[in-house]
Amino acid sequence: MHRTALLVSTALFAALLSPTAVRAAADPAPVPVDRFEGEVPFAAQPAEGIFTWGSDADDPPALRLTDRTDAPEGEKVLTGTYDISGWGGFTHDYAATGPARDWSAHRGIRFWWEGRGDGRVIAFEIKDGGAHGEASELWTTSFTDDFTGWKQIEIPFTDFRYRTDYQPVGGIDHVLGLTQMWGYALTLPAGTRGDFALDGVELYGRADQSLRASVTTDAAVYPVDEGGTATVRVTLATTGSAPVDEPVTVTYETAGGTAEPGRDYTPATGTLTFPAGTASGTTRTIRVPTLKDRTAEAAETVPLRLTVNGAKAPAENPQVVVDAHGLPYLDGRLPVRKRVADLLSRMSLAEKAGQMTQAERGALTAPGDIAAYDLGSLLSGGGSTPTPNTPAAWAKMIDAFQLRARATRFQIPLIYGVDAVHGHNNLVGATVMPHNIGIGATRDPGLARRTGEVTAAEVRATGVPWDFAPCLCVTRDERWGRSYESFGEDPALVESMETVIQGLQGRADGRDLKDDDKVLATAKHFVGDGGTTYGSSTTGTYTIDQGVTEVTRQQLEAVHLAPYQEAVDRGVGTVMPSYSSLDLAGDGRGPVKMHARADMINGVLKGRMGFDGFVISDWAAIDQLPGDQASDVRTSVNAGLDMIMVPYAYKDFTRTLISEVTAGRISERRIDDAVSRILTQKFRLGLFEHPYADTTGAARIGSPAHRAVARQAAAESQVLLKNAGGVLPLRRNQKVYVAGSDADDIGNQTGGWTVTWQGASGDTTPGTTILDGMRKAGGDLTYSEDASAPLAGHDVGVVVVGETPYAEGVGDVGNGHDLELSPADRAAVDKVCAAMRCVVLIVSGRPQLIGDRLGAIDALVASWLPGTEGDGVADVLYGRRPFTGQLPVTWPRSEAQLPINVGDAAYDPQFPYGWGLTTLTKVPEGGTATLRALAAAARAAERAGTDAAGRALVTKARLIVQRKAGQDITAALAKPFAAADHLLLTGRYGAAVAKLEEAYRAG
């Protein structure tokens, strides 16, 4: 006898004997979702089917239908194996072309699971509303495999919660409607290999009113001035907005908390009734009066306990908070140092530990943890966004977090941080600037500052006061996946671009930080992250990122530390250490992780340089230190870290930090120093007076004025490397053939750190592609991405090729990436350049090896990653603006030359550092005599302190040298040419022209 038949027979017999048979008979019959007998195929959208997914190629599980004699239902079960390092699982989606299913008549969903008894937690989610299964709301719960053999898992729909860490397209209505369901999915546990068996997924039971009716409050926390009355609005909501069939009652009482009834507030009790027939959306009001006295006090809480009958209760009881008042730290007229000292003197060790803790917003196990752990900070990691991803949703999300902080004793506001590394790049529709490598190519400090101003204005308008930027790394090896985050390979160039700090923060004394268009900046990654040795990384499959920087102390000072003194002098508010290790020659320590280097953080940064802001760790970086968690915490905090980014481990971190201080292994003085630094920046930002988002500037996000700055930056970042026969600028009367993978791809054009951490190809955010810009410039264009359209009849070809997006070590050369064009890009270049005069634009975060094709290319442009404003690229292509960009890094002939940098003893690149042709400007005539005269004038300008004149004289000399050299760039020419640009950036104009004279003679 099959087990199914036995189960059915037993169930019928039990039903006949049961006194609840009448009630059970009213339940609808179970509705099969999956029987796994082959009725649902292995297929993906838009067809109905079961399909797998995962974070990389190894993570999707392997599935099959297996004959089993012990199958709970039918003959077959679904079996699978998995070995997941990131995340993975499988989904059953209903067909996108068919109607959604109505599950609202049922109590829940159930299925048979063959237990392994291993204690693993399996996430189970259902898909509600939206256009189809991959554009629906995800509602999730989980079950634990703590049994062996087959067991039927029953999950009431009331157990499902809206996913806050990830939604594929954003919220539909945040209500589990159950009337438009698209299927289910299982997320399997990561970390260890496993197998499973599943059978008989079905809907069961009869829905009760509490499934479709719920009671909510308009907030979880109700701050009120002492003596004021808190108004709590209680709302009845139903699925589909239908009136309730049965009465709903809400009994309430004030009880517990830190406020004293009769002294701090008047107790409130009672019952709210929503009779049968009450419409969805009906609201009742509870009022809690507070009482005023003359005593200065910290905040006090009044929990409001709600008991609900006939509907689903709120996820948590709300609480009224009598605001802190009368204490010196709340007095905005006092100096910041006095406010900090007063507040610090009142705080407990637990409250101080909370201020030193930063969690990822999606990792909060409960919103109330913000108050429970006195958290000082939250962040959005790359791609961690609200749903929908709009300015209003960002502000609403952050305000909700700030509201939770009001339930703490001293109501210390959160400081929320994001990686806005080239504009507010996590926000769809924001103005996305060129990445730093392109900004370095502009050689325009004023423009760098304006890009910072735009970024700050857009970030602060969404409620975010803190930006993890700029990166002050000095990139010394273009195999590094973060090369594009650097302004260039020369520390002098990096220093010159640090005007961006003023763009972000305003004046160096911090007086502008409270403004609604300024944010706290972060100098990162201290120190030497751009100098790691290829092959030294021990992080996963990374090859150079997070590796070891092997330098002498002199090299460290001259190359990697120099930009940080500039940042400190400019008043940068925070500094983030690097994941990388520092191996200083002769110190006898070997490689030591930067997060553990007290000599560099306490000694150099805070001591010698005088940095008075706070130091924030990188993402979970202390986990990379040797030793256990206690050792990690002790080592990093004693090394000088003030706030620790522990995205998912905030509970463990705070407990461990408190334990280490209690045991005397971290001094209370060190804790007080850290918390003082953090509080100082919060006061400077005006967060105590204005913790919530000021969205008055939200209308300017992505505005024409902001995009005009990004367009100028894109134009000035373009570096013209070759221009044989003056093929550029293009003329509007020319017939232009456009090809290449990056011509019409906003995702490739913006690169990594755009909407998501790694970025993505395709239409990821609003913007103008290079092709769009060329079309708007008025040219007569034919576009064919793969150059398959007929080539004849065109005057010139423009082939836009380059890299696809990546970020951090994922983009390291040797980690699935190289410096070569893709086969498709090479084919497009070859086809177009063989048929007509051609221009090749390379859209990339670093130089690409193009030497073998250089002879066939008439004009070559390094476009870097120009951001959302492709119009800026078209501006220089069509001569609306001149090409003025210069190489911020050396362009190598081959990968074997790497690393290659200005100042190297052996230096023979394809194009030297500082190279950049111009258009629309007549190149000065002259030779050696002219250069000598320019050198004399440059020395005079240097003595007189007239920097603009000195720079102009060096530029003239550079253009003369480039004109003579053409494409015959020898090592003898390249070395003094590159040195001249470094000298220019350090203000030695006479010496710069002298070097250019040397290059001229060599040419």
Side-chain angles (χ1 to χ4, degrees):
M1 186 182 211
H2 282 306
R3 184 172 182 175
T4 302
L6 177 62
L7 289 168
V8 171
S9 299
T10 304
L12 287 173
F13 183 66
L16 290 172
L17 297 179
S18 171
T20 59
V22 174
R23 183 191 60 79
D27 285 354
V31 173
V33 178
D34 261 336
R35 298 182 67 246
F36 303 113
E37 301 300 309
E39 75 279 11
V40 178
F42 292 112
Q45 290 280 291
E48 179 171 2
I50 300 169
F51 60 93
T52 62
W53 37 265
S55 54
D56 58 43
D58 297 329
D59 284 349
L63 304 181
R64 62 186 179 279
L65 297 177
T66 304
D67 288 309
R68 291 276 292 264
T69 57
D70 64 340
E73 302 285 348
E75 308 289 340
K76 299 178 186 295
V77 301
L78 180 70
T79 62
T81 58
Y82 60 91
D83 186 7
I84 300 167
S85 59
W87 43 264
F90 63 93
T91 292
H92 173 190
D93 272 355
Y94 295 143
T97 55
R101 313 293 172 87
D102 187 345
W103 294 3
S104 62
H106 297 274
R107 180 177 299 273
I109 190 167
R110 65 189 180 194
F111 49 88
W112 290 93
W113 183 267
E114 188 178 32
R116 301 291 185 261
D118 52 22
R120 297 183 184 182
V121 176
I122 296 93
F124 190 96
E125 64 190 25
I126 54 179
K127 303 186 169 196
D128 175 65
H132 53 75
E134 298 309 291
S136 60
E137 284 186 345
L138 302 181
W139 291 75
T140 189
T141 187
S142 63
F143 65 95
T144 303
D145 188 340
D146 55 3
F147 55 91
T148 57
W150 288 107
K151 178 180 178 180
Q152 192 172 47
I153 308 292
E154 290 193 347
I155 306 177
F157 289 130
T158 51
D159 285 0
F160 286 90
R161 296 290 181 265
Y162 183 81
R163 275 191 70 171
T164 57
D165 60 332
Y166 170 73
Q167 289 287 340
V169 294
I172 310 304
D173 58 9
H174 293 217
V175 174
L176 181 56
L178 296 171
T179 57
Q180 289 185 297
M181 302 301 293
W182 293 102
Y184 66 89
L186 280 86
T187 302
L188 297 166
T192 54
R193 187 185 302 272
D195 62 88
F196 69 90
L198 173 71
D199 200 15
V201 183
E202 64 182 17
L203 309 176
Y204 75 94
R206 181 174 68 89
D208 57 26
Q209 180 169 281
S210 65
L211 181 63
R212 66 180 186 85
S214 61
V215 168
T216 60
T217 58
D218 56 331
V221 178
Y222 294 85
V224 61
D225 289 340
E226 185 189 47
T229 297
T231 301
V232 180
R233 292 178 176 81
V234 180
T235 301
L236 176 68
T238 64
T239 299
S241 299
V244 290
D245 299 325
E246 303 166 9
V248 175
T249 61
V250 181
T251 301
Y252 63 90
E253 63 173 330
T254 50
T258 58
E260 182 180 337
R263 180 177 179 272
D264 297 314
Y265 70 97
T266 301
T269 61
T271 300
L272 306 176
T273 301
F274 299 89
T278 299
S280 178
T282 299
T283 296
R284 302 278 190 267
T285 300
I286 301 170
R287 289 183 171 83
V288 181
T290 67
L291 302 175
K292 192 174 182 64
D293 58 33
R294 298 180 181 276
T295 306
E297 294 176 301
E300 297 172 310
T301 58
V302 186
L304 184 62
R305 185 182 304 157
L306 304 180
T307 304
V308 180
N309 289 307
K312 187 177 178 181
E316 60 182 311
N317 285 317
Q319 57 181 326
V320 174
V321 177
V322 183
D323 284 339
H325 56 279
L327 300 174
Y329 78 89
L330 295 169
D331 187 351
R333 296 167 299 180
L334 292 178
V336 167
R337 60 180 177 81
K338 289 190 175 182
R339 299 178 74 183
V340 170
D342 177 70
L343 178 52
L344 189 70
S345 71
R346 301 174 186 278
M347 295 171 68
S348 68
L349 176 58
E351 288 165 331
K352 293 174 183 177
Q355 286 302 300
M356 295 174 66
T357 307
Q358 184 182 63
E360 216 289 330
R361 61 112 203 169
L364 289 174
T365 55
D369 283 354
I370 292 171
Y373 290 88
D374 292 287
L375 294 181
S377 182
L378 294 178
L379 83 151
S380 280
S384 178
T385 64
T387 50
N389 189 355
T390 63
W394 275 91
K396 181 179 178 181
M397 174 186 74
I398 293 169
D399 282 355
F401 292 142
Q402 289 287 18
L403 182 63
R404 295 288 184 164
R406 305 296 291 174
T408 59
R409 199 161 61 116
F410 297 114
Q411 299 182 306
I412 302 172
L414 294 165
I415 180 170
Y416 199 98
V418 297
D419 286 278
V421 299
H422 61 141
H424 196 355
N425 42 257
N426 277 315
L427 172 64
V428 171
T431 306
V432 178
M433 301 292 171
H435 269 294
N436 283 353
I437 196 74
I439 301 298
T442 70
R443 297 298 200 279
D444 189 338
L447 179 58
R449 177 171 180 156
R450 290 196 296 277
T451 65
E453 290 170 346
V454 169
T455 298
E458 297 199 359
V459 169
R460 195 69 182 258
T462 59
V464 178
W466 185 12
D467 184 4
F468 304 132
C471 185
L472 302 184
C473 49
V474 182
T475 178
R476 305 293 283 180
D477 190 330
E478 275 54 67
R479 291 171 292 191
W480 188 34
R482 302 190 83 143
S483 290
Y484 63 76
E485 294 188 49
S486 172
F487 292 113
E489 71 185 33
D490 182 353
L493 175 58
V494 175
E495 289 177 66
S496 73
M497 293 295 111
E498 291 186 50
T499 51
V500 71
I501 293 172
Q502 263 57 66
L504 294 168
Q505 291 195 169
R507 283 169 287 188
D509 61 6
R511 74 178 75 177
D512 300 325
L513 282 171
K514 65 184 182 302
D515 295 348
D516 65 1
D517 60 352
K518 291 292 178 279
V519 294
L520 197 67
T522 307
K524 64 181 188 184
H525 304 90
F526 186 83
V527 59
D529 52 333
T532 51
T533 301
Y534 188 79
S536 66
S537 181
T538 57
T539 301
T541 55
Y542 293 7
T543 59
I544 184 169
D545 188 35
Q546 303 184 22
V548 180
T549 301
E550 301 168 319
V551 287
T552 65
R553 187 166 293 277
Q554 182 181 11
Q555 289 168 330
L556 179 71
E557 294 281 349
V559 176
H560 299 290
L561 270 174
Y564 288 92
Q565 184 64 66
E566 177 73 16
V568 170
D569 292 345
R570 289 182 175 275
V572 72
T574 63
V575 170
M576 180 183 290
S578 175
Y579 281 116
S580 59
S581 300
L582 178 62
D583 187 356
L584 268 178
D587 74 352
R589 301 179 64 185
V592 178
K593 284 284 185 181
M594 277 306 309
H595 281 72
R597 293 216 62 140
D599 60 326
M600 300 304 301
I601 299 171
N602 283 329
V604 175
L605 178 65
K606 292 181 174 180
R608 191 186 81 196
M609 291 184 177
F611 173 62
D612 63 0
F614 70 88
V615 177
I616 170 70
S617 86
D618 209 332
W619 179 279
I622 68 169
D623 294 347
Q624 295 189 8
L625 301 181
D628 59 14
Q629 186 191 47
S631 173
D632 294 346
V633 172
R634 179 171 63 250
T635 300
S636 58
V637 173
N638 284 333
L641 271 72
D642 302 307
M643 182 183 286
I644 313 295
M645 190 186 296
V646 279
Y648 307 109
Y650 60 94
K651 295 179 182 179
D652 289 341
F653 171 77
T654 54
R655 282 193 292 262
T656 302
L657 180 58
I658 292 168
S659 176
E660 289 296 296
V661 176
T662 302
R665 290 184 286 268
I666 300 174
S667 71
E668 291 193 36
R669 182 179 179 182
R670 171 76 272 268
I671 298 300
D672 286 352
D673 172 60
V675 177
S676 294
R677 290 168 176 269
I678 294 164
L679 293 177
T680 296
Q681 299 302 341
K682 289 186 176 185
F683 279 118
R684 285 177 173 174
L685 284 161
L687 294 177
F688 281 82
E689 289 71 35
H690 303 288
Y692 301 116
D694 182 346
T695 60
T696 53
R700 293 184 291 159
I701 295 174
S703 66
H706 285 185
R707 291 185 182 273
V709 175
R711 178 174 181 166
Q712 181 183 349
E716 290 191 25
S717 72
Q718 303 299 293
V719 180
L720 183 57
L721 300 173
K722 179 181 179 181
N723 192 24
V727 65
L728 288 176
L730 302 173
R731 299 185 301 276
R732 291 188 180 184
N733 61 358
Q734 289 178 308
K735 294 192 68 175
V736 181
Y737 189 99
V738 183
S741 60
D742 287 2
D744 194 32
D745 194 307
I746 200 74
N748 289 354
Q749 188 176 301
T750 51
W753 290 107
T754 307
V755 182
T756 59
W757 174 42
Q758 291 294 314
S761 300
D763 295 329
T764 55
T765 193
T768 302
T769 67
I770 293 171
L771 178 66
D772 292 335
M774 294 178 69
R775 283 173 170 156
K776 288 198 286 183
D780 182 359
L781 306 182
T782 297
Y783 171 61
S784 176
E785 179 179 336
D786 61 357
S788 60
L791 294 157
H794 295 87
D795 299 307
V796 63
V798 175
V799 192
V800 189
V801 295
E803 296 184 302
T804 53
Y806 55 80
E808 299 192 36
V810 175
D812 284 352
V813 167
N815 189 24
H817 293 267
D818 55 38
L819 299 180
E820 302 281 352
L821 298 180
S822 70
D825 279 348
R826 292 198 296 269
V829 169
D830 292 345
K831 287 180 69 174
V832 174
C833 292
M836 65 192 79
R837 299 177 75 200
C838 71
V839 179
V840 173
L841 276 63
I842 299 180
V843 175
S844 64
R846 54 196 170 192
Q848 302 292 284
L849 302 174
I850 197 76
D852 57 341
R853 285 171 167 76
L854 192 56
I857 296 170
D858 295 287
L860 179 64
V861 179
S863 286
W864 310 114
L865 298 168
T868 50
E869 307 313 301
D871 283 327
V873 182
D875 286 342
V876 292
L877 289 177
Y878 276 94
R880 189 172 183 269
R881 289 179 180 269
F883 277 94
T884 56
Q886 294 175 247
L887 282 181
V889 293
T890 300
W891 198 283
R893 295 184 187 274
S894 69
E895 190 175 328
Q897 289 185 310
L898 297 175
I900 182 171
N901 295 286
V902 57
D904 287 354
Y907 190 74
D908 185 20
Q910 190 87 63
F911 299 102
Y913 169 77
W915 186 266
L917 307 177
T918 191
T919 53
L920 308 184
T921 300
K922 181 176 175 58
V923 176
E925 300 288 343
T928 301
T930 302
L931 289 168
R932 286 177 182 163
L934 289 172
R939 285 191 291 272
E942 187 178 333
R943 287 192 298 270
T946 52
D947 291 333
R951 288 193 295 267
L953 291 164
V954 178
T955 297
K956 285 184 180 180
R958 179 174 62 85
L959 294 176
I960 291 171
V961 174
Q962 287 182 159
R963 177 176 183 172
K964 181 184 180 186
Q967 290 303 299
D968 187 17
I969 301 173
T970 63
L973 180 146
K975 188 172 182 177
F977 184 96
D981 201 59
H982 171 74
L983 291 166
L984 164 66
L985 288 164
T986 56
R988 290 173 285 176
Y989 308 124
V993 178
K995 280 291 182 184
L996 288 168
E997 183 184 350
E998 180 184 337
Y1000 184 88
R1001 289 196 301 270

